[in-house]
């Protein structure tokens, strides 16, 4: 490896030349976001196809029975979120801190919690089958279908819950595209077993439930190869006594999520009843279209939200607040712009949308057109609020997350009752845009109060600015050319010269960083000013920590064959006492740390 000499000058180098560039953040977002949206889209298509198969091969009543199971399914999802998804949110921050032991404790606790709760759900399903069926299924004609489906799904709830935890665990380790691949293959497994168990072996609706469980098992097995392979940065180990602390942490983090799920469930139940009473069958048909459009919008906002939770948690764990601000700003702009496009399509082509969903009379089409145009302006506001909730969750504002998520149903339900009284039954649809506007105004007011109290945070998103850690850190982006690297080394040297560390350590850090940068320039295939390398150097917990990120050819300097190492890698591994590497979000991430004496 060639060396670029560090030219010492009294004037130094213009640091603004290396201001943080959004290049790598944008690449990571694109990598994660595309995979997240594809995963959600495949899941939605899989659910639709599943319903079509059940309806045709069993009976239309079987599809109704599956829909009746939705409240129980949401309850199972809530527990999965409480103990599983919440653990991965905290684990993403721990990964950014390179605290792999904590990650393993968090995820091991989550797995045990899910196994315990899943077993409890199975026992309750067997003990209270009749009571659950009486409470949910009031139509005797549907009872046999409902009971068969419910027993399989409740008995095997632990499988579907574990599948969700495995998906999230692989995603936070930087490989959401692997989850997408697994979900696609699991969808084919589900459809195949649906056709076999229902169509060939005539197991009825229970066969469809078994197919769902088998596809979840396939997903677990496929992704477990990664989780227990060399590429994964952590291991999900058996539970130990030291994991009890993680149990409380997981539960606390998951509380806003489960509250949000439960509140939204109640909202849908009440909303359906009110619309039926005020607008009848046509109203319910149009509401169904609106909910489908909301679901499409949520596919984008949830994808952006999960991207922010994973990448943002990682950046927060690294105390990379500049990167965090770049991420959050791009996420908010992206979700708002995508939703504006959806609103414009609805406003311009309501008749086409209504026809696609089955509007088949002039009167119904006219009614649907009017309602869709009233409903559409709500989407940017409410889905922007839900994205903000993910941003607050990632930063640890748990109470604020609950308030923002709950604001929509708490405003909507009274609005659905008040608007008809004020302006007649047909005015009920104005409740939706009114709710969206009021929800975002409420979020603005609350966050402004928090911002005035915290002071050093951004408007609305509340991301930290000008923190002590940020002021004392070096956080730069370097154009991927030899000339820019040479200039950046002067900046790095000047920064370390001002830090209160030994001269030998400063020289070691500079030399090791130089070796990594040169390796990227000569071997990564990204030698261009249009590509950037991010370098972040800061002190934390008695250590000097350096991270170097690039989007070039994957290369692990830690586990590279010792016999094939050239002088540069030998210097790097010899001078750095704590060297770590991970390939995440399509990027090489090398981490180095030195203990400050």
């Amino acid at each position: 490896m060639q060396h670029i000499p560090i030219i010492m000058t009294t004037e130094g180098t213009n640091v603004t030349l290396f201001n943080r560039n959004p290049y790598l953040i944008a690449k990571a977002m694109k990598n994660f976001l595309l995979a997240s949206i594809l995963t959600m889209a495949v899941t939605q298509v899989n659910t639709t196809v599943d319903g079509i198969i059940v309806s045709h091969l069993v009976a239309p009543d079987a599809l109704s029975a599956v829909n009746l199971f939705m409240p129980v399914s949401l309850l199972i999802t809530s527990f999965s979120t409480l103990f599983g998804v919440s653990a991965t949110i905290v684990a993403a921050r721990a990964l950014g801190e390179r605290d792999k032991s904590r990650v393993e404790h968090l995820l091991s606790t989550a797995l045990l919690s899910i196994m315990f709760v899943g077993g409890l759900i199975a026992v309750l399903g067997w003990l209270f089958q009749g009571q659950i069926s009486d409470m949910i299924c009031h139509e005797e004609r549907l009872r046999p279908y409902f009971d068969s489906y419910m027993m399989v799904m409740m008995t095997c709830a632990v499988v579907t819950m574990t599948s969700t935890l495995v998906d999230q665990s692989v995603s936070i380790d930087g490989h959401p595209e692997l989850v997408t691949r697994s979900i696609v293959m699991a969808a084919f497994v589900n459809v195949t077993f649906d056709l076999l168990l229902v169509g060939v072996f005539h197991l009825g609706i229970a066969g469809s439930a078994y197919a769902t469980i088998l596809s979840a098992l396939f997903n677990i097995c496929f992704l477990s190869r990664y989780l227990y392979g060399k590429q994964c940065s952590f291991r999900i180990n058996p539970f130990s006594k030291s994991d009890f602390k993680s149990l409380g942490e997981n539960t606390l983090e998951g509380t806003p999520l489960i509250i949000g799920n439960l509140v939204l469930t109640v909202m849908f139940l009440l909303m359906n009843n009110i619309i039926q009473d005020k607008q009848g069958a046509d109203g319910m048909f149009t509401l169904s279209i609106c909910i489908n459009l909301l679901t499409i919008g949520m596919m984008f906002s949830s994808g952006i939200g999960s991207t922010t939770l994973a990448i943002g948690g990682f950046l927060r764990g690294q105390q990379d607040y500049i990167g965090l601000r770049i991420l959050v700003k791009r996420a908010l702009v992206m979700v708002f712009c995508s939703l504006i496009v959806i609103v414009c399509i609805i406003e311009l082509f309501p008749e086409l949308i209504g026809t696609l969903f089955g509007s088949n009379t002039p009167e119904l089409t006219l009614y649907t057109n009017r309602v869709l145009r009233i409903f559409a302006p709500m989407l940017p506001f409410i889905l922007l609020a839900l994205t903000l909730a993910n941003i607050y969750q990632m930063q640890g504002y748990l109470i604020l997350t609950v308030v923002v998520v709950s604001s929509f149903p708490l405003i909507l339900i009274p609005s659905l009752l008040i608007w008809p009284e004020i302006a007649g039954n047909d005015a009920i649809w104005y409740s939706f845009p009114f709710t969206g506007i009021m929800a975002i105004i409420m979020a603005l007011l609350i966050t402004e109060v928090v911002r005035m109290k915290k002071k050093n945070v951004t408007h609305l998103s509340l991301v930290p600015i000008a923190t002590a850690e940020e002021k004392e850190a070096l956080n730069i982006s370097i154009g991927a050319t030899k000339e820019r690297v040479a200039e950046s080394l002067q900046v790095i040297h000047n920064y370390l010269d001002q830090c209160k560390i030994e001269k030998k350590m400063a020289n070691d850090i500079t030399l090791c960083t130089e070796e990594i940068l040169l390796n990227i320039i000569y071997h990564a295939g990204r030698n261009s000013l249009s590509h950037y390398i991010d370098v972040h150097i800061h002190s934390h917990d008695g250590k000097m920590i350096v991270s170097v990120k690039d989007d070039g050819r994957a290369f692990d300097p830690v586990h590279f064959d010792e016999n094939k190492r050239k002088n540069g890698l030998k210097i790097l591994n010899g001078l750095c006492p704590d060297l770590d590497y991970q390939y995440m979000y399509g990027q090489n991430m090398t981490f180095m740390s030195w203990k400050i004496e």
Side-chain angles (χ1 to χ4, degrees):
M1 183 183 296
Q2 301 178 35
H3 285 263
I4 298 173
I6 302 174
I7 304 170
M8 301 297 181
T9 66
T10 54
E11 296 179 1
T13 304
N14 183 9
V15 180
T16 58
L17 184 67
F18 300 98
N19 281 345
R20 187 65 179 273
N21 190 283
Y23 172 75
L24 286 178
I25 297 288
K27 293 272 286 190
M29 285 189 72
K30 181 180 178 181
N31 181 286
F32 199 111
L33 181 60
L34 182 61
S36 296
I37 292 176
L38 281 174
T39 299
M40 292 176 188
V42 170
T43 302
Q44 185 63 41
V45 170
N46 185 40
T47 302
T48 302
V49 172
D50 205 18
I52 292 171
I53 291 173
V54 167
S55 182
H56 282 80
L57 296 183
V58 181
D61 284 348
L63 180 60
S64 300
V66 173
N67 289 331
L68 281 173
F69 183 72
M70 187 60 68
V72 181
S73 179
L74 285 171
L75 189 62
I76 293 172
T77 300
S78 296
F79 283 115
S80 179
T81 300
L82 178 63
F83 296 113
V85 177
S86 60
T88 61
I89 294 172
V90 184
R93 294 200 291 265
L95 276 175
E97 297 168 356
R98 311 312 300 161
D99 190 349
K100 295 180 183 179
S101 175
R102 186 175 172 220
V103 174
E104 291 171 357
H105 283 308
L106 287 164
L107 297 182
S108 298
T109 304
L111 181 60
L112 184 73
S113 302
I114 281 174
M115 292 175 68
F116 175 79
V117 173
L120 185 62
I121 290 171
V123 171
L124 292 174
W126 283 98
L127 291 178
F128 300 101
Q129 176 185 354
Q131 291 89 330
I132 296 171
S133 187
D134 290 340
M135 183 172 60
I136 296 175
C137 185
H138 302 153
E139 178 59 58
E140 287 301 321
R141 195 177 76 185
L142 302 178
R143 185 71 66 92
Y145 299 113
F146 177 79
D147 289 348
S148 297
Y149 190 81
M150 177 187 70
M151 287 311 301
V152 176
M153 295 303 293
M154 290 190 72
T155 301
C156 300
V158 66
V159 176
T160 55
M161 294 168 75
T162 303
S163 180
T164 301
L165 174 63
V166 169
D167 287 347
Q168 295 293 322
S169 299
V170 174
S171 291
I172 64 166
D173 203 44
H175 291 278
E177 77 289 346
L178 192 60
V179 176
T180 303
R181 194 185 312 163
S182 181
I183 292 293
V184 169
M185 290 189 289
F188 281 108
V189 170
N190 185 30
V191 171
T192 301
F193 277 103
D194 264 335
L195 295 172
L196 282 173
L197 299 179
V198 180
V200 178
F201 294 102
H202 305 294
L203 294 181
I205 194 171
S208 176
Y210 286 126
T212 300
I213 300 303
L214 288 170
S215 67
L217 281 171
F218 172 86
N219 184 55
I220 293 169
C221 293
F222 182 85
L223 293 179
S224 291
R225 294 190 310 163
Y226 171 83
L227 288 173
Y228 290 96
K230 292 181 180 180
Q231 198 174 2
C232 188
S233 63
F234 54 80
R235 293 287 180 273
I236 302 179
N237 298 313
F239 185 81
S240 62
K241 290 182 179 180
S242 60
D243 291 334
F244 278 110
K245 180 182 176 182
S246 301
L247 179 61
E249 196 171 5
N250 290 352
T251 305
L252 180 64
E253 190 74 30
T255 299
L257 298 173
I258 193 171
I259 290 175
N261 278 344
L262 294 175
V263 169
L264 289 174
T265 301
V266 173
M267 181 200 75
F268 277 107
L269 290 172
L270 293 175
M271 180 175 64
N272 289 344
N273 290 334
I274 294 170
I275 294 296
Q276 283 183 85
D277 291 341
K278 302 293 184 182
Q279 295 290 300
D282 286 353
M284 276 307 299
F285 170 77
T286 308
L287 179 64
S288 299
I289 299 176
C290 294
I291 298 305
N292 274 280
L293 295 173
L294 178 63
T295 302
I296 293 170
M298 287 187 71
M299 191 168 69
F300 288 96
S301 68
S302 297
I304 294 170
S306 61
T307 300
T308 306
L309 281 171
I311 300 176
F314 186 80
L315 292 171
R316 184 183 169 211
Q318 289 185 294
Q319 298 181 8
D320 184 358
Y321 297 112
I322 295 177
L324 188 59
R325 288 198 295 274
I326 293 172
L327 173 76
V328 168
K329 181 180 178 180
R330 282 181 166 263
L332 292 176
V333 170
M334 195 179 294
V335 71
F336 194 76
C337 289
S338 62
L339 293 173
I340 289 296
V341 171
I342 293 174
V343 170
C344 289
I345 292 172
I346 296 171
E347 293 289 350
L348 291 172
F349 307 106
E351 186 172 346
L352 175 61
I353 294 170
T355 303
L356 285 173
F357 281 94
S359 177
N360 53 11
T361 65
E363 295 79 9
L364 183 57
T365 298
L366 188 64
Y367 177 81
T368 302
N369 290 355
R370 173 179 168 272
V371 172
L372 290 179
R373 284 188 167 129
I374 295 172
F375 175 83
M378 181 204 72
L379 292 175
F381 296 106
I382 189 59
L383 295 176
L384 183 62
L386 293 177
T387 303
L388 284 169
N390 284 316
I391 293 170
Y392 302 145
Q393 173 95 26
M394 175 266 294
Q395 296 182 86
Y397 295 108
L398 302 185
I399 295 176
L400 183 57
T401 304
V402 174
V403 171
V404 172
V405 172
S406 303
S407 64
F408 180 43
L410 291 178
I411 297 171
L412 177 60
I413 298 305
S415 298
L416 289 170
L417 297 172
I418 293 171
W419 273 88
E421 296 297 324
I422 296 174
N425 281 350
D426 287 346
I428 194 171
W429 301 107
Y430 289 103
S431 302
F432 291 97
F434 173 79
T435 298
I437 294 169
M438 292 304 297
I440 205 68
I441 290 174
M442 184 175 172
L444 281 166
L445 292 174
I446 294 173
T447 53
E448 193 59 22
V449 171
V450 175
R451 191 193 68 81
M452 292 173 67
K453 184 178 179 181
K454 294 270 185 182
K455 294 182 180 178
N456 290 329
V457 293
T458 57
H459 291 279
L460 191 61
S461 60
L462 302 179
V463 179
I465 54 175
T467 63
E469 294 90 347
E470 183 180 322
K471 289 178 180 178
E472 295 174 1
L474 180 68
N475 202 336
I476 59 175
S477 295
I478 306 165
T481 67
K482 291 183 288 184
E483 293 75 21
R484 284 290 187 269
V485 167
E487 294 167 349
S488 72
L489 290 171
Q490 179 64 59
V491 174
I492 292 169
H493 175 82
N494 290 344
Y495 166 75
L496 292 171
D497 201 38
Q498 297 170 13
C499 295
K500 296 178 180 179
I501 59 175
E502 294 179 353
K503 189 171 183 179
K504 181 183 183 304
M505 182 185 293
N507 289 334
D508 288 349
I509 293 173
T510 304
L511 188 55
C512 288
T513 306
E514 178 186 2
E515 293 301 337
I516 295 174
L517 291 174
L518 290 175
N519 191 69
I520 294 168
I521 292 299
Y522 290 115
H523 303 293
R526 290 288 188 272
N527 192 352
S528 162
L529 266 178
S530 63
H531 298 271
Y532 287 85
I533 306 164
D534 285 352
V535 176
H536 184 207
I537 306 175
H538 67 291
S539 61
H540 177 66
D541 198 22
K543 294 180 180 180
M544 286 299 297
I545 301 172
V546 182
S547 69
V548 182
K549 304 175 187 176
D550 76 279
D551 66 330
R553 190 178 294 113
F555 178 75
D556 184 353
V558 181
H559 301 101
F560 192 74
D561 189 345
E562 290 188 19
N563 297 323
K564 296 180 180 180
R565 288 178 185 173
K566 295 184 179 180
N567 290 336
L569 283 184
K570 290 178 180 178
I571 291 171
L572 175 63
N573 283 271
L575 292 181
C576 182
D578 186 4
L579 181 63
D580 193 17
Y581 168 87
Q582 190 169 1
Y583 190 78
M584 299 177 68
Y585 314 124
Q587 297 173 19
N588 296 290
M589 299 189 183
T590 305
F591 305 92
M592 303 176 286
S593 67
W594 284 260
K595 187 175 181 182
I596 301 173
E597 297 297 336

